[in-house]
Amino acid sequence: MSDLLAALESLRERLKEIPQADERRLQELKIELLGRKAGALTEILKALPGLDPETRKRVGGTANALKRELESAALARELELKRSSTALAGVDLTMPGRPQWRGGLHIVTQIVDEICDIFRELGFTRAVGPEAETERYNFYALNFPKDHPALDAQDSFYLGGDVLLRTHTSPVQIRTLENYKPPIRIVTPGRCYRRDPFDASHSPVFEQIEGLGVDEGLTFVDLKSILAAFARRIFSPTTKVRFRPSYFPFTEPSAEMDVQCQICGGGGGGSGCAACKGTGWMEILGSGMVHPAVLENCNVDSEKYTGFAWGMGPERIAMLRHGIPDIRLFFDSDVRFLEQFR
Ligand code: DAH
């Protein structure tokens, strides 16, 4: 019995080799010690049934314990070798994962979609036009005089000759009137470009949404009611609006629409509201009845048809809606800002 115990003791010595063994050596050790045919430990275990009960008990207990130790040491080493042989070497697998990145629509895109949806429910189709326009579409067909300051290269981005980046979405009115017969009801979102400073309230690139309705018998009342309905939808059901006379070459009469200041609630904050300068009102769009000259420029009979139109800035509406103080935030691509609107 002491022979067997001594043999087991010497086999136990081999345990120390396991943590250092490479893959090949580990396989050799496993076969040498635990191999089913001639493993040294297997041989001892096989001999157990022939021993007297007392010896069998002691040797068996030690041999089985050793077998478990050898097996678990071999398994641990195998896992270790596997881990270090893959790309995961040196990676802490217990570290928490990074949350998956989820993209979203830009807040201005969301507002544009929301505005177009409101007008779709009021019967308006979405239309688009090119960002590079000729002077004819951007200005002359819209009844701008030849000497209007907007035609100056100081104010607009010219691409060459009479082609420029559109300064507003109004040229889509012309393209639509040239190509479709009334009744027409469209909204046209899109980018516009002006040589403006990049400051808290201006950007040389900005979004506009143009609206146009042309039909028999349309009046200023239609324009006012549609725009008032829009304001109540985009702001709140109790939002009040007012129209102030204005001037645009392509509308007559023309008006700007104000909504109750969304920051002070229309009270002017005891005249201290910075957003509306204490007036309680904020301008959100320009509008008017389509000038007969514009209809005639597009071969639409201005005796038979009348139209209304408006243009507004979605960035401004997003700023009012969410109390955003600076238009540049829309262009900074700062995820911390953008994420708030997902
Ligand atoms: N195009 C004008 C601008 O960029 C906005 C505008 C005003 C559009 C009145 C219209 C309108 O259609 O009727 O300032």
Side-chain angles (χ1 to χ4, degrees), residues 200-229:
S201 51
H202 297 86
S203 162
V205 186
F206 56 97
E207 197 79 17
Q208 263 195 356
I209 298 181
E210 190 86 9
L212 174 70
V214 177
D215 202 351
E216 285 179 58
L218 287 184
T219 70
F220 202 84
V221 174
D222 297 303
L223 173 66
K224 280 177 82 170
S225 56
I226 281 172
L227 293 178

Side-chain angles (χ1 to χ4, degrees), residues 8-44:
L8 283 174
E9 213 39 59
S10 75
L11 288 185
R12 177 176 290 280
E13 282 295 301
R14 315 294 294 275
L15 257 176
K16 294 185 194 139
E17 278 185 53
I18 292 177
Q20 269 87 51
D22 62 14
E23 215 153 314
R24 230 188 71 215
R25 182 73 191 126
L26 186 62
Q27 289 315 312
E28 284 169 8
L29 279 169
K30 274 171 75 178
I31 292 168
E32 229 171 90
L33 301 167
L34 301 161
R36 214 177 304 163
K37 276 201 189 127
L41 185 57
T42 317
E43 293 291 300
I44 296 174

Side-chain angles (χ1 to χ4, degrees), residues 105 108-118 126 209:
L105 291 179
V108 175
T109 306
Q110 290 180 41
I111 290 277
V112 167
D113 287 348
E114 193 178 332
I115 293 172
C116 290
D117 282 351
I118 292 173
R126 200 163 165 152
I209 298 181

Side-chain angles (χ1 to χ4, degrees), residues 213-261:
V214 177
D215 202 351
E216 285 179 58
L218 287 184
T219 70
F220 202 84
V221 174
D222 297 303
L223 173 66
K224 280 177 82 170
S225 56
I226 281 172
L227 293 178
F230 161 73
R232 288 193 295 266
R233 289 288 298 279
I234 196 85
F235 294 113
S236 81
T238 53
T239 296
K240 291 202 175 79
V241 299
R242 73 175 185 187
F243 287 81
R244 282 177 295 100
S246 185
Y247 172 80
F248 302 101
F250 35 90
T251 45
E252 179 57 35
S254 306
E256 282 174 330
M257 186 174 89
D258 297 343
V259 293
Q260 273 176 308
C261 176

Side-chain angles (χ1 to χ4, degrees), residues 37 75 100 105 116 121 126 135 137 170-171 174 176 192 199 216 229 236 258 263 321 326 335 338-339:
K37 276 201 189 127
L75 185 65
Q100 196 174 21
L105 291 179
C116 290
E121 287 180 20
R126 200 163 165 152
E135 286 179 332
Y137 282 100
S170 301
I174 306 301
T176 306
C192 306
D199 63 25
E216 285 179 58
S236 81
D258 297 343
I263 309 296
R321 232 318 249 285
D326 193 317
V335 175
L338 297 173
E339 258 177 355

